[in-house]
Amino acid sequence: MKVFTQSVLALSLLAMGSAHAFELKSNDIQEGHPMAKTFEYNSWGCDGGNQSPQLTWSDVPEGTKSFAITAYDPDAPTGSGFWHWIAFNIPASVTELPRGVDIKKLGGQESRIDYGSVGFGGACPPKADGMHRYQFTVWALPTEKLDLNQNTPSAVIGFTLNNMAIDKAKLTATYTR
C-alpha cells in the first residue's frame, strides 16, 4: 500500500506541474514551424544567411557539467540523415546561445558537419524534396570535457552523446525549398 500511495503522490505532483522537464526554446524558431531564410545555408545552391538560431534552455538536470548542441536533418536523402551542427564542451553556466553564436568564445568546441566544414551549417534541402525537419537538441552531460575533436565523425559524436547524456531537450523546426 505504501508503494501505491507514493506512486499516486508522485503522479499528482507531476500533474500539478511541480516536476520540471529540461526544455529548449528559441526566439527565432518554433516547434513544427518553418524557419526563416536567415537560417538557410549560403552554399550548395542555397543563398541564406547561414545564422544559427537563438536558443535558450531551462530546468537543467542535476549533475550537468557541460552541454552539447546538435542540429540534424533526419529527412535528408542520404540514408543516414545530415548533421548541420555539432558543438560540445559548452560550460554548464551557459544556458543561452545568441543568434550566430561563436561557440569558441563561450569555451566550447565545434566539430566537422556533413557539409565538410566546422561550425553551423544552415538548412539547404534539395529543391522540390518536400519539407525537411531540423532537430535542434541540447544535451546535458555529466562531464566538463568530451574527449572529441573537430575531426571526430558525427556518427561517433552522436553515439557518445546518446550514451552519456543525463538528459536532452529537442526543438524541431522545418524548412522547404
Side-chain angles (χ1 to χ4, degrees):
M1 186 68 165
K2 183 177 181 181
V3 172
F4 175 76
T5 305
Q6 289 172 339
S7 296
V8 170
L9 178 60
L11 289 172
S12 297
L13 289 172
L14 282 171
M16 292 186 321
S18 293
H20 297 285
F22 190 32
E23 187 175 25
L24 178 61
K25 293 182 178 181
S26 176
N27 295 328
D28 291 333
I29 59 174
Q30 284 74 46
E31 181 70 32
H33 291 268
M35 291 187 287
K37 192 160 178 94
T38 303
F39 311 110
E40 182 184 87
Y41 196 50
N42 195 354
S43 188
W44 286 37
C46 289
D47 60 358
N50 200 43
Q51 293 286 303
S52 61
Q54 179 275 344
L55 299 171
T56 303
W57 50 97
S58 59
D59 297 315
V60 173
E62 189 174 324
T64 300
K65 297 203 170 137
S66 71
F67 297 104
I69 304 286
T70 58
Y72 177 75
D73 173 3
D75 303 313
T78 63
S80 61
F82 200 91
W83 292 94
H84 287 265
W85 198 14
I86 302 171
F88 51 93
N89 297 342
I90 300 167
S93 59
V94 175
T95 57
E96 181 173 4
L97 303 179
R99 181 187 297 179
V101 66
D102 182 343
I103 293 292
K104 288 179 188 168
K105 286 185 179 178
L106 299 176
Q109 234 181 310
E110 290 173 299
S111 184
R112 191 166 312 286
I113 56 172
D114 287 339
Y115 286 122
S117 57
V118 173
F120 179 78
C124 186
K127 285 185 179 179
D129 197 47
M131 182 194 71
H132 282 230
R133 293 168 292 157
Y134 293 86
Q135 300 169 337
F136 290 84
T137 306
V138 59
W139 307 77
L141 303 171
T143 183
E144 288 182 17
K145 299 283 183 195
L146 296 177
D147 188 21
L148 305 170
N149 63 54
Q150 73 176 22
N151 295 314
T152 303
S154 52
V156 171
I157 294 174
F159 177 85
T160 301
L161 296 175
N162 275 296
N163 278 294
M164 73 177 321
I166 297 169
D167 202 355
K168 63 183 178 180
K170 188 182 297 182
L171 175 60
T172 303
T174 64
Y175 202 75
T176 306
R177 285 194 328 134

